[in-house]
Amino acid sequence: MNTPAFARPLDLGPVRLRNRFVSAPMERNYCAADGTMTDEYIAYLEQRAAGGAALVFTEAAYVRADGKGRIRQMGVDDDDRIPGIARMAGAVHAYGALVGVELNHGGRTAQGAVSGFVPVAPTPIPCMVVGGEMPEQLDDDDIEHIIECFGEAAARCAQAGVDVLSLHGGHGYLIHQFLSPAYNKRDDKWADPTLFVNRVIDAVRTAAPDLALGIRFSAFEGVEGGLDADTTRARLDAIDTRRLDFLDVSAGNYEAGQWIIQPGEWARGLLAPYAEQYTRDFDIPVGVAGRISTPESAEEIIVSGQADFVSMARTLHADPDFPNRAIAGTRYRPCIACNYCIDSLAAGAVPCSVNPWVGRELDQPTAPAGVPARVVVIGGGPAGLSVARELAVAGHQVDVYDERDGLGGDFALASDLHEYPEYGRIVDWYLAELAELPVTCHTGVTVDAQTLAALDFDAIVLATGGRGPVLDVPGLDSRRVRDVREFLCSGDPAPEAITIFGADREAAAVADDLLQRGTTVVMIGPQETIAHDVGRRAKIVLLPRLDAAEHFTAHLSSTIARIETDRVVISTNGEQRTVDAPGELLVSQGIEPRADLLADLRRFAPRLGVYSVGDASGDGGSIHAANVTAADVAVRITAEAARATTRMEVSA
């Protein structure tokens, strides 16, 4: 068989990549508050190295304290950081991967609430996306000092055993700000857009001459007055690329964040065509990022000559073993491009919706259960499938029961919506995993406590999900009223018109999908904004599309006071009025746990206990929360089985 193009080695200046998969710089908030490397972060990076990535980058690491943009961002601004970076480098090298650090200064995107300093920039233009603090304009001395800081940071990395350095020249950070006509309005020598980056290249090359050095840049910014593709190319032609070993192509800035981290409804590998000219015209290797989430898309990009390597962030975040699995042609855990990871950055450590062990690698079980048990899982939604898989991987025998004819629960329903085309991939992955594990699935079967008691399982896990609350509004009998999940489960065709009571995540996704199918949609929600329970990046494309939709009307901060045949009376800030509300009324007012079985099951007291996960436990709301709860319950059952056996042995 021919070796896939992505499995072939590649030279980046003085170093050789063992394959073409690069674990891209990705902000994770895993460091200590002062920017020092932690054991948790080392374990995370170590697992990506073990998974087969050729080059494992940390993240955009700040070279000076006022360039810090995240509360637990990695720092390379002080010699105290060197021991932690060295420990990390040793751990990654042990698995045959190279170590990369991306040098950065946040400029106008850094905020005083995080860094403790007033932000600085080429021109005092605030970044409203992250808080809007007015930056101070850099003077000559300060610019020279930041250039020195880049060089000093490079020297620290070299001392710590780092192999590759990348300058972050994209995504709206300081180097990019000097390059961009939207953010560099100077009239002195620093008005030259490439002077700053060329000086930084010189400083880093001088300080760390033996390390491979490249630059990541945005092929375009995606904002009015910013860098377009042609202007960016002109900038790259003026950059001293003769002193670089690679280019890495991305896109966007903070004001166009959808281009930095793209939504799942956009095409895979969408930035590869922008990288092609650089691969063709520059005599150094070129990488590209942007929704490269399958082996097929990676292979096509490299074989077609659009890029020499692929920079993968979310894909390896979801499955650190993706490179090894891709090369071997085996199944991998897919990223569903939900952007829960990036939307969690402001709050702290970055998790993953589909992988409950991301950021918790030190707690992840590595050995099978010493005492296998028989466990029944009631419900085949994401939480049920997740706990079943975790239990089976540990060596337990698992039976899954679901009253529906298929598995996947409400998540499988969501995967049919326009906004979530990648969601079905994780359901398919679970089903394929369970088919090869000691798991028996029973669909179209409703079970009760007596049935389960007769089957004599060691532990029972309730994963029955939730149901919408009962609506108590005058006029309910005047038209058809259904919960939004009931509507999706029915498979009914898109109606001519529909009214949705609710403006949450589910309501927004269903409204968007129906609008794509030609339905007129009226939304009435008590929320002040649409999809208030969704992070900014996850709805950055959705909300403008809803706003521009011709057949969409939204009444926010409103509740329904009375239902009529094709109208409703709504109350907005205490004032009532009648509005058109055509078609069926769908209700999207959250969910309540379906835990009816819980008390009965506990009365039977299986020897290893009864547990609930996901929406059934009230710990749903996101697939991430459901998966984490499921993983932890599996660990608890394994531990309880071991304890129960020990107690029996002691009693004997």
Side-chain angles (χ1 to χ4, degrees):
M1 294 179 63
N2 292 331
T3 302
F6 55 60
R8 299 169 189 163
L10 175 69
D11 290 333
L12 296 185
V15 300
R16 170 162 288 192
L17 305 187
R18 59 185 174 185
N19 57 55
R20 307 299 178 91
F21 292 119
V22 171
S23 180
M26 177 179 176
E27 292 179 301
R28 303 177 180 103
N29 262 340
Y30 291 173
C31 283
D34 67 354
T36 300
M37 186 63 61
T38 61
D39 291 341
E40 290 79 7
Y41 203 174
I42 292 173
Y44 174 95
L45 297 170
E46 183 178 28
Q47 201 168 94
R48 272 76 200 157
L55 169 58
V56 177
F57 273 102
T58 54
E59 60 184 51
Y62 57 92
V63 301
R64 198 172 80 166
D66 59 353
K68 177 181 180 180
R70 305 293 178 190
I71 55 175
R72 294 177 62 194
Q73 184 178 356
M74 179 180 171
V76 283
D77 61 322
D78 191 278
D79 288 350
D80 290 345
R81 313 285 175 259
I82 296 173
I85 299 172
R87 284 196 302 116
M88 177 274 297
V92 171
H93 286 153
Y95 288 96
L98 300 174
V99 177
V101 172
E102 186 176 54
L103 304 180
N104 189 41
H105 188 291
R108 63 188 284 271
T109 69
Q111 301 289 286
V114 173
S115 70
F117 298 89
V118 175
V120 295
T123 303
I125 300 172
C127 183
M128 304 309 295
V129 174
V130 293
E133 185 175 356
M134 180 63 73
E136 292 182 351
Q137 179 164 310
L138 288 161
D139 60 24
D140 276 4
D141 289 343
D142 220 10
I143 292 173
E144 294 290 349
H145 183 250
I146 292 177
I147 292 169
E148 291 175 9
C149 287
F150 271 97
E152 291 167 357
R156 293 184 188 104
C157 290
Q159 184 178 340
V162 170
D163 306 290
V164 180
L165 295 174
S166 180
L167 304 177
H168 204 330
H171 298 176
Y173 296 117
L174 186 61
I175 291 176
H176 194 179
Q177 291 161 34
F178 274 99
L179 292 170
S180 173
Y183 308 109
N184 184 350
K185 307 290 187 180
R186 301 179 74 104
D187 57 8
D188 60 2
K189 68 179 182 180
W190 301 105
D192 175 350
T194 59
L195 175 60
F196 180 73
V197 65
N198 281 331
R199 290 286 309 283
V200 169
I201 290 171
D202 181 67
V204 170
R205 266 298 184 212
T206 301
D210 298 327
L211 272 59
L213 175 62
I215 187 169
R216 167 168 269 202
F217 64 95
S218 292
F220 55 87
E221 285 192 86
V223 298
E224 186 175 353
L227 291 166
D228 59 19
D230 291 339
T231 311
T232 299
R233 174 54 195 266
R235 298 287 194 266
L236 263 292
D237 286 338
I239 289 175
D240 193 3
T241 55
R242 295 176 299 102
R243 304 188 72 183
L244 299 178
D245 298 306
F246 65 91
L247 305 176
D248 193 10
V249 180
S250 185
N253 69 10
Y254 270 49
E255 282 78 8
Q258 70 273 25
W259 287 109
I260 301 175
I261 303 177
Q262 306 83 15
E265 60 189 83
W266 286 7
R268 296 174 189 153
L270 75 170
L271 298 181
Y274 294 95
E276 187 170 9
Q277 63 173 310
Y278 297 99
T279 307
R280 180 187 65 235
D281 297 342
F282 288 74
D283 59 359
I284 54 177
V286 175
V288 69
R291 292 263 300 125
I292 306 169
S293 57
T294 67
E296 293 78 12
S297 57
E299 183 74 357
E300 171 60 25
I301 288 168
I302 296 169
V303 168
S304 67
Q306 293 175 302
D308 300 296
F309 64 90
V310 288
S311 291
M312 310 174 92
R314 290 176 295 175
T315 298
L316 271 60
H317 192 62
D319 190 344
D321 294 319
F322 179 92
N324 282 341
R325 296 184 188 280
I327 292 170
T330 57
R331 187 169 52 252
Y332 57 92
R333 189 193 307 251
C335 167
I336 60 173
C338 64
N339 283 343
Y340 183 75
C341 50
I342 186 66
D343 275 329
S344 301
L345 258 178
V350 170
C352 176
S353 283
V354 299
N355 188 339
W357 297 111
V358 166
R360 308 195 308 155
E361 285 79 7
L362 291 175
D363 299 324
Q364 185 172 3
T366 56
V371 184
R374 293 183 65 242
V375 185
V376 62
V377 178
I378 313 302
L385 297 178
S386 181
V387 74
R389 179 186 176 277
E390 293 286 338
L391 286 164
V393 166
H396 301 295
Q397 179 69 46
V398 185
D399 283 77
V400 177
Y401 288 87
D402 196 284
E403 61 190 12
R404 295 180 183 176
D405 292 330
L407 297 172
D410 291 341
F411 203 74
L413 300 177
S415 68
D416 290 329
L417 299 178
H418 176 81
E419 189 185 2
Y420 304 133
E422 297 280 19
Y423 279 24
R425 297 182 69 204
I426 193 65
V427 175
D428 292 343
W429 178 79
Y430 275 124
L431 299 184
E433 288 282 296
L434 297 189
E436 296 181 1
L437 290 167
V439 178
T440 303
C441 296
H442 313 267
T443 56
V445 178
T446 301
V447 295
D448 55 24
Q450 288 75 17
T451 302
L452 294 174
L455 295 174
D456 193 30
F457 287 98
D458 296 313
I460 299 174
V461 181
L462 198 66
T464 46
R467 59 170 66 91
V470 176
L471 193 63
D472 184 15
V473 177
L476 274 174
D477 57 353
S478 65
R479 68 163 84 184
R480 189 176 192 184
V481 179
R482 282 190 286 180
D483 184 81
V484 66
R485 295 163 189 79
E486 185 183 353
F487 168 75
L488 292 176
C489 198
S490 72
D492 290 350
E496 181 178 339
I498 207 160
T499 299
I500 303 177
F501 180 33
D504 56 7
R505 173 185 56 197
E506 291 78 9
V510 171
D512 177 57
D513 185 73
L514 290 174
L515 286 165
Q516 305 298 319
R517 300 170 189 264
T519 301
T520 295
V521 178
V522 174
M523 176 182 286
I524 301 163
Q527 298 88 354
E528 294 181 0
T529 59
I530 296 174
H532 70 289
D533 48 349
V534 178
R536 187 183 71 86
R537 294 289 181 91
K539 60 190 177 188
I540 199 169
V541 173
L542 169 69
L543 293 187
R545 188 163 61 224
L546 289 178
D547 187 58
E550 182 179 356
H551 301 292
F552 178 65
T553 304
H555 304 282
L556 300 177
S557 300
S558 301
T559 58
I560 295 179
R562 186 173 70 254
I563 301 172
E564 299 175 359
T565 304
D566 56 5
R567 302 185 304 173
V568 295
V569 177
I570 65 173
S571 176
T572 307
N573 298 322
E575 295 186 6
Q576 290 195 352
R577 58 195 171 103
T578 301
V579 299
D580 290 335
E584 179 181 355
L585 179 64
L586 299 185
V587 180
S588 187
Q589 295 290 319
I591 55 175
E592 297 172 348
R594 290 183 60 197
D596 314 65
L597 275 175
L598 194 57
D600 289 340
L601 293 174
R602 283 177 173 159
R603 278 197 291 271
F604 287 111
R607 71 184 189 91
L608 300 182
V610 176
Y611 307 83
S612 58
V613 296
D615 288 327
S617 69
D619 203 13
S622 73
I623 186 176
H624 167 255
N627 275 333
V628 168
T629 304
D632 290 346
V633 162
V635 170
R636 287 169 59 192
I637 290 173
T638 296
E640 187 58 35
R643 283 193 292 268
T645 300
T646 300
R647 287 194 295 268
M648 291 174 60
E649 291 172 349
V650 171
S651 297

